[in-house]
Amino acid sequence: MAPRIRELVDDAVDRLLDAPRPANLHRLVSRPIPSQVICLLLGIDYAAHELFESLTERLLDMTTSAEAFQEALRDVEDFIRAQVAEQERDPGDGVLGRLLVERVRTGQLTHEQLVGFAMLLLIGGHETTAKMITLGMLTFLTEPEQAERVRLRPDLMPGAIEEILRIHAITDLTVPKLAARDMSVAGCPINAGEGILPLTAAANHDPDVFPDPDRFDPARGDRRHLTFGLGVHACLGQNLARAEMEAVFSALLRRVPSLRLAVPVSELEPDRNAIVWGLKDLPVTW
């Protein structure tokens, strides 16, 4: 999908450059790219992106009431069921169509499992990456020397992406656990039956693993961060996210080297009410 992702990114950058200044980078670039890519991956119509983007925002906003959450969840499920029904009539070569032909019709998956998989991919596949793209560009814009370094040395881009993933770790909370036995972690006693809330963001800033952990260093070359989880719990979409981030960052650094923040960093509004931490808007000019 990399060539197609680059095409989508170039189109988005064109729209950004045609927009009045200042422009909203999150709305014009960061958000539409992952939405378009997840639609391509699933094989669904991008025309419905505003619907599922708004539904996902409601699902991931911690201020959403329980009733509104359940309503949004039902709406997402209805949307997915309609997409699956469309694929049943005319299966495409996206994930939905292929699973339908290769797994559901052969009895290896149930119809309900297909709907569940599609919901998981749709909800997890665009909002998280959109926020990471915005936070990544904020990092470049507030670290102009490092941005210029990466622009002149594209071989540093993979390392820069890992640093952005490590530093921001938007999925900073893991699933709460209960201790099965008495233990001690870093000198902190934990008794059997006590609750544990591991913080991915804290692990990603552990100075014993990452010296000077708050420093953005594209040449660090360390992928031991836990932003995508670990082992059997590692995010299966992580390399797709990396591909999208690389396409966006490379295009913006190459095509808009004069890109800069249109407001002071102190005026940016973090989306602190979302489960997926990030920014809703990123005003830029050039």
Side-chain angles (χ1 to χ4, degrees):
M1 295 180 69
R4 181 60 179 138
I5 292 173
R6 288 193 291 269
E7 290 177 2
L8 294 173
V9 169
D10 279 336
D11 289 344
V13 175
D14 288 342
R15 290 192 295 273
L16 174 72
L17 294 174
D18 289 340
R21 304 180 211 180
N24 190 327
L25 187 73
H26 184 76
R27 299 291 172 178
L28 290 174
V29 179
S30 304
R31 195 178 184 191
I33 294 302
S35 293
Q36 288 175 296
V37 170
I38 201 65
C39 285
L40 284 171
L41 185 72
L42 289 173
I44 63 180
D45 188 359
Y46 179 67
H49 71 101
E50 290 186 3
L51 171 61
F52 68 72
E53 285 174 0
S54 64
L55 290 173
T56 300
E57 279 193 357
R58 284 160 57 193
L59 287 173
L60 296 179
D61 192 325
M62 292 188 291
T63 65
T64 301
S65 67
E67 293 78 11
F69 178 88
Q70 291 299 325
E71 180 183 358
L73 196 61
R74 287 192 296 270
D75 290 344
V76 172
E77 187 172 354
D78 289 343
F79 171 76
I80 290 296
R81 288 187 185 282
Q83 298 298 320
V84 171
E86 180 67 27
Q87 293 290 322
E88 286 175 330
R89 289 189 289 271
D90 183 20
D93 61 358
V95 168
L96 282 185
R98 289 166 59 186
L99 284 177
L100 184 67
V101 172
E102 299 172 12
R103 296 291 186 265
V104 176
R105 291 181 179 176
T106 60
Q108 293 171 275
L109 286 179
T110 67
H111 186 276
E112 290 303 302
Q113 285 174 320
L114 179 61
V115 171
F117 289 161
M119 287 181 64
L120 178 65
L121 290 170
L122 183 68
I123 294 170
H126 69 88
E127 189 70 12
T128 51
T129 306
K131 295 290 179 64
M132 279 307 324
I133 290 173
T134 296
L135 289 169
M137 282 312 303
L138 176 62
T139 301
F140 281 123
L141 295 175
T142 54
E143 298 270 3
E145 291 184 2
Q146 296 289 14
E148 180 65 6
R149 184 183 177 197
V150 174
R151 188 182 72 82
L152 295 175
R153 286 191 54 191
D155 61 296
L156 290 176
M157 181 60 79
I161 290 172
E162 298 308 319
E163 279 286 88
I164 289 166
L165 290 165
R166 178 187 69 80
I167 289 171
H168 293 296
I170 56 170
T171 50
D172 56 351
L173 296 177
T174 59
V175 178
K177 305 287 186 180
L178 287 177
R181 56 178 174 79
D182 294 343
M183 66 182 74
S184 177
V185 177
C188 176
I190 301 171
N191 298 320
E194 287 186 333
I196 304 171
L197 188 61
L199 295 177
T200 301
N204 284 356
H205 287 76
D206 184 347
D208 292 336
V209 181
F210 307 101
D212 196 4
D214 296 332
R215 179 169 57 92
F216 171 56
D217 182 8
R220 189 186 297 270
D222 197 328
R223 289 182 59 161
R224 290 178 293 169
H225 61 78
L226 301 179
T227 299
F228 287 121
L230 187 69
V232 296
H233 298 290
C235 172
L236 56 81
Q238 59 182 285
N239 288 326
L240 181 63
R242 286 186 175 99
E244 294 174 61
M245 292 170 68
E246 180 167 6
V248 173
F249 299 156
S250 297
L252 287 171
L253 291 181
R254 183 184 73 253
R255 296 184 56 190
V256 202
S258 60
L259 191 72
R260 65 185 188 275
L261 288 174
V263 299
V265 174
S266 59
E267 294 183 15
L268 296 176
E269 284 290 329
D271 187 8
R272 298 188 184 279
N273 290 323
I275 296 173
V276 178
W277 190 91
L279 296 172
K280 291 181 178 179
D281 301 293
L282 188 63
V284 295
T285 190
W286 53 94

